[in-house]
Amino acid sequence: MAEPQQDQNEYRQIRAAKRDALAAIGVNPYAVRTPAREAIAKVRFAFESIATKAGATAGAPTQDHGPTLAAQAVAGRVLANREMGKAAFIDVFDATGKIQVYLNKKGVGDRGWEIYRNLDLGDFVWVKGDVQRTRTGEISLFAAEIQFLTKSLSVPPLPRVYKDEQGVERKADSFTDTELRYRKRYLDLMVHEDARDRFVARSRALTAIREYLTKRGYLEVETPMLHAIPGGGRARPFITHHNTLHMNMYLRIAPELYLKRLLVGGFERVFEINRNFRNEGVDATHNPEFTMMELYEAYGDYNSMMEITEGLIRHAAKAVRPGGDLVFKWGDVEIDIGKPFARKRYADLLKEHAGVDLHDVKAVREKAQSLGLELTDDHYKLADALLEATVLPQLVQPTFMIDYPTAICPLTKAREDDPRLCERFEIFIKGVEFGNAFSELNEPVEQLRRFKEQVERGNATQDVEAPKEIDFDFIEALEAGMPPAGGVGIGIDRLVMLLTDTHSIRDVLLFPHVKRDHTQGAGGATQRAELAAGTLAEELASPELRKLGVQLKPLILRLQQMIDDAEKR
């Protein structure tokens, strides 16, 4: 049960009064600088080292204080406070760990004790003193100095007891509301060590991936996040507007077409780790903003991409998993990434689990209909939906699914022995896709034909994910000559989920998307509407529309109808 808002406001007033009391005795509640300090973990390690040399048993109670590590200073957030008359114990946390601090008036003096009296949970302090063990064996810093660093005006969401309006004692749990943990990640990280550990693991995974690729001669590059034409994948893009150029632009859905331009330019091994944006829903494995690693290798193909994908995932696991263990649980399933990853053909898996031939239009349609799938006139798109429903749940251990239908792979080379299939793979673990790779299509005439076909099909079916324009500049780049190449994209967020035994993508994103909180004022929605209206007016008046001879009246009438409909709702 959460504390009533009234109680929270009262706590804030009490803390604000303590802030003012500190200022009244000449203490800055928001210090400009922090005196020299050591990391708490380093101090604890140094003490344990001298205690070991002195022959003291770690954690053992002592009649005296035993070995002493003199004059150590630490700083951090106070997350526990146990007052005992004229003495107190506080727990101080920094990014490396916790240490217990013992304070009394004699040790820190009148001013120091006054600072302590105005201390709240969540505040930041600096303390200095000798490190010894208490009689219960706890490593503790016996404070001789204390300085105040930062006053926290809000109550940290720690487990605590409080009284409600009727004076009944209540218990508040430690910030367990999932939505609030996402919305206020700073509080989640403050009180949940496992959350902090998960993001440390994410950072280690990224470091390991970069290390693995740079050792193999790959160059890390950066390509545009704003695209004039969305390309490199099927997805509904986010649209923004460039005021100076009077043009719409798109947050990128994939960096692929720019990275392949670099192969044309002479780079042979490139990779990028960065954000993609796709205007889609949110579920356990999807978020509109996500991190991808994409690499491209001249003279490679999808076989070489399988080798590097397998090695990269294994290398990241060794860096993240305790002891470098390659056999571990993901939920209730044991995953073994130490063994060679299986390689299975798309058509064979469809035949095995759906009982139909990939190219049999009638059989695929009947099977899809029997399973209640949404029917479409696009045969291979329907076959892909059937495969998702019947095959993916069976792919538990790491599996490369290879040789996709060429019709659904516009950027991939067709197989020489059967042009209906192409040299593409996706890697699946426990039914979840982790990567996508091709033998890259580098024939400009065929690429242009496929782009045109993709746009025409999308317009005919009103598919919001299909590209609406052809990237002719990319075609020109291919005409300059791109060597045979392989490319692969790996979802970083999903990989971290696997390696940290996490089951929602939002748990591996520091600040996942949540619905906007309008409780802090209603002006935001109005401001966004005004900006959108201004951008639309500018777009309608743009020179590009006049050059194209676009008739504005039908567009304005349609807009008016949308406004009328919105007002009726």
Side-chain angles (χ1 to χ4, degrees), residues 521-543:
T526 301
Q527 182 186 45
R528 291 196 305 278
E530 290 174 348
L531 288 171
T535 297
L536 179 60
E538 186 172 345
E539 181 69 11
L540 289 173
S542 69

Side-chain angles (χ1 to χ4, degrees), residues 3 79 121 156-162 171-175 191-192:
E3 292 187 38
L79 290 181
L121 299 186
L158 300 168
R160 58 191 179 277
V161 177
Y162 67 97
K171 290 183 178 180
D173 291 330
S174 175
F175 206 49
V191 302
H192 292 130

Side-chain angles (χ1 to χ4, degrees), residues 29 38 104 147 172 185 193 244 256 274 295 352 355 366 377 439 454 474 478 498 508 535 543:
E38 294 286 358
N104 61 25
Q147 291 190 29
R185 181 69 87 187
E193 185 177 1
T244 301
E256 177 171 349
N274 218 323
L295 67 84
E352 178 183 352
E366 288 177 350
D377 292 333
S439 293
Q454 193 179 30
F474 178 67
L478 291 185
L498 170 71
V508 298
T535 297

Side-chain angles (χ1 to χ4, degrees), residues 232-306:
R234 273 180 49 85
R236 186 175 186 174
F238 286 95
I239 305 174
T240 186
H241 188 78
H242 195 301
N243 292 332
T244 301
L245 298 179
H246 301 289
M247 62 183 288
N248 281 344
M249 301 195 77
Y250 306 87
L251 294 182
R252 76 171 180 199
I253 60 175
E256 177 171 349
L257 302 186
Y258 281 97
L259 289 171
K260 288 197 283 195
R261 284 172 169 92
L262 298 180
L263 300 187
V264 174
F267 291 108
E268 292 187 356
R269 295 187 176 193
V270 295
F271 77 97
E272 181 171 11
I273 299 175
N274 218 323
R275 294 300 177 100
N276 290 349
F277 305 86
R278 299 185 181 182
N279 202 343
E280 59 191 13
V282 176
D283 61 27
T285 58
H286 292 85
N287 193 70
E289 177 183 2
F290 60 98
T291 302
M292 287 287 292
M293 186 290 301
E294 287 206 22
L295 67 84
Y296 292 85
E297 179 181 337
Y299 315 114
D301 61 15
Y302 79 148
N303 290 303
S304 58
M305 293 301 100
M306 280 185 256

Side-chain angles (χ1 to χ4, degrees), residues 417-493:
D417 58 345
D418 186 352
R420 295 176 300 175
L421 304 178
C422 65
E423 294 194 352
R424 173 188 176 185
F425 74 75
E426 289 183 301
I427 178 170
F428 293 92
I429 304 173
K430 200 182 174 184
V432 176
E433 178 206 340
F434 283 79
N436 186 21
F438 312 145
S439 293
E440 302 295 336
L441 181 60
N442 62 345
E443 183 184 345
V445 174
E446 174 62 11
Q447 184 65 85
L448 179 58
R449 184 193 70 77
R450 293 198 202 173
F451 276 168
K452 287 179 177 178
E453 183 181 78
Q454 193 179 30
V455 170
E456 290 168 359
R457 187 186 303 119
N459 290 338
T461 60
Q462 296 187 326
D463 184 351
V464 295
E465 293 186 348
K468 303 298 184 293
E469 297 181 64
I470 295 171
D471 190 338
F472 287 104
D473 181 75
F474 178 67
I475 299 298
E476 289 185 18
L478 291 185
E479 288 181 346
M482 185 182 89
V488 63
I490 296 175
I492 298 299
D493 309 311

